Amino acid sequence: MRSTTFDRAEVSARVYSAVIGVVFGPIVGGVAYLVGLRGWWLPLAAVVGGTTAGYAVFRLSIGIARGSGAAMLAFVQPSGKSTPFEREFSQALALEASDDVQGAVAWFDAALVRTPGDPRLRVALGDLCMRQAMHGRAEALYLEARRLTGHPDLELYCTQRLIDLRLGPLARPEQAFPELRRLIDRFPSTREAEGARQALRRLKTEIVARS
């Protein structure tokens, strides 16, 4: 089933193609007249030209929508074509859902042995550890994943999770300071950086109030 986002993109593409077809039809008809076509050839040229232009715009718009969607999907939910082992993530999640947490962790550990350099696998296991209150292991996994990745979105995600852990269940707010500063330095113009600035100000105020 196609996503709602893609459905909207297809509707927009059809509207744009119809508009282009209406606009280009008379233009093509005018060009046909200038080159000497007369009679029923003129409306035929207008229809064919408008339809061709509209279809080209439709295919181009859909291609862009599909390409953008595929690029995002490849990051948040990689396909079997890019990383075959990730097709099996559902097995680990099913184990967790059936309360076999040890089995799920064991599955991820085995996958790490097979593909030790993939940071997304560490993030997936880190998320599982966070859900299961294995906070120390989660922290280590996010640090490893951030060291391995070259993808800024994944780096940002790991940094956010480290901040969450240190301000929350790990109760080490002093170690959240360098992560907050790192986030601001690495992603200065983002909404996350503004939130980090506010968190830094709040933490400093709390520390002063306690002293």
Side-chain angles (χ1 to χ4, degrees), residues 129-174:
C129 289
M130 279 196 70
R131 291 191 296 270
Q132 300 298 331
M134 294 182 282
H135 301 124
R137 179 93 193 269
E139 180 185 35
L141 287 161
Y142 291 133
L143 285 168
E144 292 172 5
R146 188 173 66 183
R147 176 176 55 82
L148 290 170
T149 189
H151 198 298
D153 288 346
L154 196 57
E155 177 188 346
L156 176 59
Y157 181 84
C158 290
T159 302
Q160 288 177 302
R161 296 290 74 76
L162 288 166
I163 293 169
D164 292 341
L165 282 166
R166 292 172 180 179
L167 290 178
L170 292 177
R172 301 201 305 263
E174 70 284 353

Side-chain angles (χ1 to χ4, degrees), residues 160 163-168 173-174 176-177 180-181 183-184 191-211:
Q160 288 177 302
I163 293 169
D164 292 341
L165 282 166
R166 292 172 180 179
L167 290 178
E174 70 284 353
F177 273 89
L180 288 164
R181 295 191 183 99
L183 194 155
I184 294 167
R191 180 177 55 188
E192 289 80 5
E194 180 56 34
R197 294 185 186 98
Q198 295 176 12
L200 272 177
R201 289 193 292 267
R202 185 173 65 253
L203 282 173
K204 290 176 180 178
T205 300
E206 292 174 357
I207 291 173
V208 169
R210 289 198 298 267
S211 61

Side-chain angles (χ1 to χ4, degrees), residues 100-123:
D100 186 3
V101 176
Q102 289 185 346
V105 172
W107 185 95
F108 275 112
D109 285 337
L112 280 171
V113 173
R114 295 194 301 271
T115 54
D118 195 312
R120 291 170 296 182
L121 186 57
R122 285 173 168 77
V123 169

Side-chain angles (χ1 to χ4, degrees), residues 28-67:
V28 174
V31 173
Y33 182 86
L34 291 177
V35 299
L37 295 181
R38 295 293 186 272
W40 62 270
W41 286 104
L42 288 177
L44 178 61
V47 170
V48 171
T51 301
T52 301
Y55 182 76
V57 169
F58 175 76
R59 298 306 304 174
L60 178 62
S61 299
I62 289 298
I64 292 172
R66 284 174 175 165

